[in-house]
């Protein structure tokens, strides 16, 4: 992962009269890794890893492909008698001491956060062998949870989030996760990803010049305000599919893209989750509990505004990912979560008159926002 330069937020003064979206600079180009020796297929790399690590016992192992996430990694469950592990197969070789997953995982483990054990590394083959946390995500566990169990699960998740923000603030901030941030450029790039892959790609919206200008102005205002807030370390994808219920507690996965961002970022990911329906009173109670513990000096109305504006950005960003997966990757996995995500965005956009232009322009093409 290449580092991104942190920049100061730009003016929130509206810009008018543009004929198209304001395009932020493209993200830094990441150098491609060295080719695998002999260019073996992913399955061949896994087989070679087994043969080298387990030798005579390799034939007794069971290897089960697992469904992946929206990344370029592949996952396999490795069953060795009573012991289970997960193979994370990266798309290119890596130096273990530089791989963000390893670096950030070790930081988080040192802070007492629940992350999987790393059991073996084969950087030349792009392989990490990790502790298997099972298949019960928070998303699945909530389906049969009682109201009391649901409340306890969310309190546990938010307790862990408080620990992340507190311990990271105390730590030496030399690792890659401290050098990149949800700055104006990153936030704006995500909004234009939504524009390209959801509005234009998935929904085939034909925007007028006026709508393009209003959407661009709204995105500029939203990203400029968010990027001006204080920053802490964020997990970056802290939602119910990335929290695993294992051995009586929630464990974290998919944290390799951790970066600096507002204290409200992970809270918005969790409480305005695309994958779970949460009652508004429940959300308000959990958010206030978090405010009192994580940012007690922030006034309640300021905190509420920041939480809700962050939720808008997060939800639109998620829609961009869903659209990209549906159109570019031809995957229907995320499409069922679009209505809930649009409903979350509509609820929060409706609360802020200063973003009424953005909402009206989007709603002319997305009836769910009307």
């Amino acid at each position: 992962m290449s580092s991104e330069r942190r920049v100061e937020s730009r003016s929130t003064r509206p810009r008018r009269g543009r004929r198209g979206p304001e395009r932020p600079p493209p993200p830094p180009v990441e150098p491609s890794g060295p080719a695998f020796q002999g260019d073996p297929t992913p399955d061949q790399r896994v087989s070679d890893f087994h043969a080298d690590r387990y030798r005579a016992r390799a034939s007794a192992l069971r290897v089960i492909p697992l469904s992946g996430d929206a990344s370029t990694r592949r996952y396999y469950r490795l069953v060795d008698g009573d012991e289970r592990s997960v193979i994370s197969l990266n798309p290119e070789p890596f130096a273990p001491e530089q791989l963000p997953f390893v670096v950030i995982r070790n930081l988080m483990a040192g802070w007492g956060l629940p992350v999987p054990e790393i059991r073996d590394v084969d950087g030349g083959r792009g392989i990490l062998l990790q502790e298997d946390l099972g298949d019960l995500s928070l998303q699945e566990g909530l389906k049969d949870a009682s109201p009391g169990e649901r409340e306890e699960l969310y309190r546990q998740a938010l307790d862990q989030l408080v620990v992340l923000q507190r311990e990271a603030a105390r730590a030496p901030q030399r690792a890659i996760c401290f050098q990149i941030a949800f700055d104006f450029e990153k936030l704006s790039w995500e909004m234009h990803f939504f524009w390209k892959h959801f509005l234009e790609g998935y929904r085939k919206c034909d925007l007028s010049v006026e709508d393009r200008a209003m959407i661009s102005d709204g995105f500029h205002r939203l990203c400029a305000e968010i990027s001006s807030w204080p920053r802490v370390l964020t997990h970056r994808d802290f939602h119910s599919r990335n929290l695993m219920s294992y051995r009586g507690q929630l464990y974290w996965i998919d944290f390799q893209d951790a970066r600096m961002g507002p204290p409200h970022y992970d809270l918005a990911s969790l409480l305005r989750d695309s994958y779970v329906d949460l009652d508004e009173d429940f959300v308000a109670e959990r958010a206030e509990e978090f405010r009192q513990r994580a940012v007690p000096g922030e006034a309640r109305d300021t905190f509420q505004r920041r939480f809700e504006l962050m939720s808008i950005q997060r939800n639109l960003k998620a829609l961009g990912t869903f659209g990209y997966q549906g159109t570019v990757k031809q995957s229907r996995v995320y499409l069922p979560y679009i209505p809930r995500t649009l409903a979350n965005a509509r609820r929060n956009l409706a609360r802020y008159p200063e973003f009424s232009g953005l909402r009206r322009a989007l709603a002319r093409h997305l009836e769910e926002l009307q």
Side-chain angles (χ1 to χ4, degrees):
M1 178 184 296
S2 61
S3 63
E4 297 179 15
R5 181 173 56 88
R6 177 171 173 172
V7 300
E8 295 302 320
S9 65
R10 298 179 181 177
S11 169
T12 58
R13 184 178 58 194
R15 300 180 179 182
R16 304 189 183 280
R18 289 190 298 270
R19 296 186 60 82
E22 178 186 350
R23 300 290 181 180
V29 176
E30 299 185 9
S32 59
F36 292 108
Q37 186 175 4
D39 196 26
T41 65
D43 289 341
Q44 184 61 51
R45 284 190 275 140
V46 172
S47 297
D48 291 345
F49 171 73
H50 294 161
D52 285 351
R53 189 177 195 272
Y54 296 95
R55 301 188 181 278
R57 294 195 302 110
S59 60
L61 303 177
R62 284 200 300 141
V63 180
I64 306 167
L66 300 174
S67 59
D69 52 18
S71 75
T72 57
R73 292 175 295 277
R74 295 193 185 187
Y75 297 91
Y76 300 79
R77 173 165 285 137
L78 177 64
V79 182
D80 181 15
D82 293 333
E83 182 177 273
R84 295 187 172 199
S85 302
V86 168
I87 293 172
S88 172
L89 189 64
N90 286 262
E92 58 190 32
F94 59 81
E97 69 279 4
Q98 297 176 2
L99 189 71
F101 181 93
V102 174
V103 172
I104 295 167
R105 180 263 164 209
N106 291 341
L107 284 175
M108 290 181 169
W111 298 332
L113 293 167
V115 290
E117 172 191 353
I118 296 178
R119 293 176 171 166
D120 202 355
V121 181
D122 187 338
R125 293 190 176 102
I127 286 175
L128 281 177
L129 188 67
Q130 305 171 40
E131 179 182 12
D132 188 348
L133 302 178
D135 298 311
L136 185 61
S137 66
L138 176 60
Q139 179 191 13
E140 291 300 314
L142 289 170
K143 292 177 180 178
D144 297 321
S146 68
E149 290 169 338
R150 172 175 290 221
E151 186 170 317
E152 176 55 34
L153 286 167
Y154 275 88
R155 282 199 168 129
Q156 184 182 150
L158 293 174
D159 286 346
Q160 294 170 351
L161 194 55
V162 170
V163 172
L164 170 68
Q165 296 188 4
R166 182 187 68 224
E167 295 302 317
R170 296 172 176 174
Q173 301 194 351
R174 295 186 293 268
I176 181 62
C177 54
F178 294 108
Q179 309 309 314
I180 56 178
F182 284 107
D183 53 22
F184 179 87
E185 278 70 19
K186 178 64 177 175
L187 294 166
S188 189
W189 185 88
E190 290 184 342
M191 292 297 86
H192 286 86
F193 193 83
F194 158 78
W195 186 318
K196 177 179 179 180
H197 292 291
F198 189 79
L199 273 181
E200 297 180 339
Y202 181 66
R203 287 293 181 90
K204 309 297 183 186
C205 300
D206 184 14
L207 305 179
S208 67
V209 171
E210 179 185 6
D211 285 343
R212 293 171 73 86
M214 291 181 71
I215 292 170
S216 185
D217 181 70
F219 284 170
H220 179 88
R221 288 170 175 264
L222 182 65
C223 297
E225 179 169 345
I226 292 172
S227 64
S228 72
W229 302 338
R231 293 173 185 161
V232 299
L233 186 64
T234 69
H235 175 291
R236 205 241 182 168
D237 280 308
F238 196 72
H239 55 68
S240 60
R241 291 167 69 98
N242 285 336
L243 295 171
M244 307 300 296
S245 183
Y246 180 66
R247 294 180 177 173
Q249 72 168 324
L250 295 176
Y251 275 72
W252 295 13
I253 61 173
D254 204 20
F255 44 75
Q256 63 280 341
D257 293 322
R259 64 178 62 216
M260 301 297 284
H264 324 76
Y265 189 92
D266 286 334
L267 183 71
S269 300
L270 185 68
L271 297 184
R272 297 296 184 196
D273 195 341
S274 295
Y275 309 112
V276 177
D277 284 318
L278 295 176
D279 179 82
E280 282 300 292
D281 289 340
F282 181 90
V283 170
E285 290 168 4
R286 301 290 81 75
E288 175 58 17
E289 289 172 0
F290 179 81
R291 183 193 70 83
Q292 292 176 13
R293 297 191 59 198
V295 283
E298 192 166 278
R300 186 177 299 184
D301 56 347
T302 299
F303 175 87
Q304 188 69 19
R305 176 185 176 86
R306 291 178 173 180
F307 169 56
E308 290 172 349
L309 294 189
M310 191 74 260
S311 296
I312 293 169
Q313 196 279 339
R314 254 305 283 188
N315 288 146
L316 295 181
K317 180 262 183 186
L319 289 168
T321 299
F322 299 162
Y324 175 81
Q325 289 292 315
T327 56
V328 178
K329 295 296 187 180
Q330 299 295 303
S331 170
R332 301 186 61 83
V333 171
Y334 297 97
L335 302 187
Y337 305 114
I338 288 174
R340 181 184 294 115
T341 310
L342 282 166
N344 283 338
R346 178 190 180 281
R347 182 184 301 112
N348 285 313
L349 275 169
R351 290 171 174 162
Y352 294 95
E354 61 268 46
F355 291 101
S356 60
L358 173 62
R359 181 190 170 197
R360 286 197 307 273
L362 291 174
R364 278 194 278 271
H365 305 276
L366 304 175
E367 63 180 3
E368 297 93 336
L369 298 183
Q370 293 175 5

